[in-house]
Amino acid sequence: MSPGQLLAVLELVGVFAFALDGALTAMRAAHLDLFGVVALGVVTALGGGALRDVLLGSLPPASFSDWRYLFVATCGALVAFWGHPLLRRLSRPILLSDTAGLSLFCVTGSAIALEAGAGPGQAVLLGAVSAIGGGTLRDVLVRRVPTVLTGGLYAVPALLGATIAVAGGRLGADGLPLALAAGGSCAALRLLGL
Amino acid sequence: MSPGQLLAVLELVGVFAFALDGALTAMRAAHLDLFGVVALGVVTALGGGALRDVLLGSLPPASFSDWRYLFVATCGALVAFWGHPLLRRLSRPILLSDTAGLSLFCVTGSAIALEAGAGPGQAVLLGAVSAIGGGTLRDVLVRRVPTVLTGGLYAVPALLGATIAVAGGRLGADGLPLALAAGGSCAALRLLGL
Amino acid sequence: MSPGQLLAVLELVGVFAFALDGALTAMRAAHLDLFGVVALGVVTALGGGALRDVLLGSLPPASFSDWRYLFVATCGALVAFWGHPLLRRLSRPILLSDTAGLSLFCVTGSAIALEAGAGPGQAVLLGAVSAIGGGTLRDVLVRRVPTVLTGGLYAVPALLGATIAVAGGRLGADGLPLALAAGGSCAALRLLGL
């Protein structure tokens, strides 16, 4: 698998995880019907990447020109809507899917920023924005104080993961192991920080 | 009237409708003075189109470079502020102005996206974003859970209207009848879906 | 000091003032830890300028490509976090830092817009957006109805300051005196309007 394909796959997995997370949060937060659940799942999943693309100036955002994003996000939300009773058996489905999205997006977001010509510092910031943006939009829409403000370590793991991904890439580290190390560090710090 | 002129007129009617809607919502939601009512009317009226232009990358947004937008939005908010007692005699002034803005913006938003070079899929999405964006900003600012999440059919009518407008345009349908069919379908589905 | 240097210094002072304001607001509004306080300070400080740059299409925003912005914003938030007991002796630290940020950003924001090629009308609007944007984001994130809707004169002083800055510049007025006149008018109207 080429680095570009790896990036696309990880990004779509992140989209799925955040759509699941947004839809599960939606169902807990308010009396939403199918349409509301899908809308919140899609916004959570695509919001962070769209914000990154807007700040990069690479417009229209990838999530608007590539139909796989919207398709995967809708699927994630529908899985959450119909699979809700099964997912509840997992100990903390919202925490897990949120952490997965955070870890994947800080890695893919910084790589996409580097590819678009951003410097290393900007790439770290934009990786964190990709990771944090969707969840923050989700919280604002369901009227919660955003996790980034109250959740202890939330921005810091995303910044750590993005920093490892950018620094490792400059040191010549390989695609998949580097992505695992960066995303894993982000996830570990996020889960430990709670 | 040329298609471009028709588009501009419909867009400004939509701006007026959303400004009315935002200002009426503002007056019901919180103790706002004249400045707050005008601010919320302007944000509701121009927010969706500005979001569309940002996502299209056609910057600065039309609503910032063309003074008629701000003027019409301010007029709409002032009509709501001073005409409030008269408007109350209409059965549901907020619902009607919101539906009018939604129906007009899904048609004009997708047409503007096509003109800016977007593909048909993107044009449908950006039409819906234009239509939904202003009302969602309004709800976030007055701390309501956005209508797009709770209002049953809200995103779906906008997507339907934009799809009819884009598909009809590709099939060679004429400007005004097509706009009426697309906007009318959106309004009908919105009002039926409540 | 050249006009460009003056602009950069004023902009960074505005970033510091808004970071202080955002962090102080954060500590009053919710039980936030250090990370949450810094996050809200940074968003308040850099949000308005980033919004201006997005609307101008000059991307990535200056606050993402120039590390001094993030550094100064973080410092401002940390000063608020640790200096909180001392700052409380000032009669109204939040009001004062908010007014300082508003007054500085309406001047620098309109000048940056003019430099980027915007017309005078757009420059006035974008100056006001720079000044109002950060505080509005702050309010949305801590779930307050934004000051721009409830605070009486909040948008109007920003529009006044930006108008004086743009009009004075076209009449050939000098950098520092003009900035003082425009920012001072904004601050005076803001404080009188309460």
Side-chain angles (χ1 to χ4, degrees):
Chain A
M1 193 151 56
S2 78
Q5 285 172 313
L6 175 65
L7 199 62
V9 168
L10 292 179
E11 179 90 349
L12 289 175
V13 177
V15 165
F16 187 86
F18 265 141
L20 209 64
D21 161 52
L24 289 171
T25 303
M27 283 184 285
R28 271 185 38 174
H31 300 289
L32 304 185
D33 55 13
L34 175 61
F35 297 104
V37 169
V38 170
L40 196 61
V42 167
V43 167
T44 308
L46 305 185
L51 190 53
R52 174 201 62 216
D53 291 347
V54 164
L55 292 172
L56 271 174
S58 57
L59 298 168
S63 45
F64 275 76
S65 35
D66 182 341
W67 274 89
R68 291 176 303 172
Y69 285 84
L70 192 63
F71 179 74
V72 169
T74 307
C75 289
L78 292 176
V79 166
F81 190 76
W82 284 311
H84 191 218
L86 280 172
L87 285 167
R88 233 186 252 165
R89 295 196 199 157
L90 291 170
S91 60
R92 293 184 166 206
I94 291 183
L95 176 63
L96 291 178
S97 55
D98 186 58
T99 302
L102 194 75
S103 307
L104 287 158
F105 271 19
C106 69
V107 174
T108 58
S110 57
I112 289 168
L114 285 175
E115 266 190 9
Q122 291 173 48
V124 169
L125 279 179
L126 288 169
V129 164
S130 316
I132 294 164
T136 303
L137 275 173
R138 173 203 66 206
D139 290 338
V140 165
L141 291 175
V142 298
R143 293 194 303 174
R144 291 202 313 194
V145 174
T147 314
V148 71
L149 295 183
T150 57
L153 295 173
Y154 193 75
V156 175
L159 285 166
L160 174 73
T163 305
I164 292 176
V166 169
R170 286 175 80 91
L171 297 171
D174 227 17
L176 189 55
L178 177 60
L180 284 173
S185 309
C186 170
L189 186 56
R190 164 86 172 117
L191 294 172
L192 286 171
L194 285 172
Chain B
M1 194 152 53
S2 77
Q5 285 173 314
L6 174 65
L7 199 62
V9 169
L10 292 179
E11 178 90 348
L12 288 175
V13 177
V15 165
F16 187 86
F18 265 141
L20 209 64
D21 160 51
L24 290 171
T25 303
M27 284 184 285
R28 271 186 36 175
H31 301 289
L32 304 186
D33 55 13
L34 174 61
F35 297 103
V37 169
V38 170
L40 196 62
V42 168
V43 167
T44 307
L46 305 185
L51 190 53
R52 174 202 62 216
D53 291 346
V54 165
L55 292 172
L56 270 174
S58 59
L59 298 168
S63 45
F64 275 75
S65 36
D66 181 341
W67 275 88
R68 291 175 303 173
Y69 285 82
L70 192 63
F71 179 75
V72 170
T74 306
C75 289
L78 291 176
V79 166
F81 191 77
W82 284 313
H84 191 218
L86 279 172
L87 285 167
R88 232 186 253 164
R89 293 196 201 157
L90 292 172
S91 60
R92 294 186 166 205
I94 291 183
L95 175 64
L96 290 178
S97 54
D98 186 59
T99 301
L102 193 76
S103 307
L104 287 158
F105 270 21
C106 69
V107 174
T108 58
S110 57
I112 289 169
L114 284 176
E115 266 190 10
Q122 292 173 49
V124 169
L125 280 179
L126 288 169
V129 164
S130 317
I132 294 164
T136 302
L137 274 174
R138 173 202 66 206
D139 290 337
V140 165
L141 291 175
V142 298
R143 295 194 303 173
R144 292 203 312 194
V145 173
T147 314
V148 70
L149 296 183
T150 57
L153 294 172
Y154 192 74
V156 175
L159 285 166
L160 174 73
T163 305
I164 294 176
V166 169
R170 286 176 79 91
L171 296 172
D174 227 16
L176 190 55
L178 176 60
L180 284 173
S185 309
C186 170
L189 185 56
R190 164 85 172 118
L191 294 172
L192 286 172
L194 285 172
Chain C
M1 196 150 55
S2 78
Q5 285 173 312
L6 175 65
L7 198 63
V9 168
L10 292 179
E11 179 90 348
L12 289 176
V13 177
V15 165
F16 187 87
F18 265 141
L20 210 64
D21 160 52
L24 290 170
T25 303
M27 284 184 285
R28 271 188 35 177
H31 300 288
L32 304 186
D33 55 13
L34 175 60
F35 297 104
V37 169
V38 169
L40 196 62
V42 167
V43 167
T44 308
L46 305 185
L51 190 53
R52 173 202 62 218
D53 291 347
V54 164
L55 293 172
L56 270 174
S58 57
L59 298 168
S63 46
F64 274 75
S65 37
D66 182 341
W67 275 89
R68 293 175 304 173
Y69 285 83
L70 191 63
F71 179 75
V72 169
T74 308
C75 288
L78 291 177
V79 165
F81 190 77
W82 285 313
H84 191 218
L86 279 171
L87 285 167
R88 233 186 253 165
R89 293 195 201 158
L90 293 170
S91 61
R92 294 187 166 202
I94 291 182
L95 175 64
L96 291 178
S97 54
D98 186 60
T99 302
L102 193 76
S103 307
L104 287 158
F105 271 21
C106 70
V107 174
T108 59
S110 56
I112 289 169
L114 285 175
E115 267 190 8
Q122 291 172 47
V124 168
L125 279 180
L126 287 169
V129 164
S130 316
I132 294 163
T136 302
L137 275 174
R138 175 202 66 207
D139 290 338
V140 165
L141 291 175
V142 299
R143 294 193 302 174
R144 292 202 312 195
V145 174
T147 314
V148 71
L149 296 182
T150 57
L153 294 173
Y154 192 75
V156 175
L159 285 166
L160 173 73
T163 305
I164 293 176
V166 169
R170 287 175 79 90
L171 297 171
D174 226 15
L176 189 55
L178 177 59
L180 283 172
S185 308
C186 170
L189 186 56
R190 163 83 172 118
L191 294 172
L192 286 172
L194 285 172

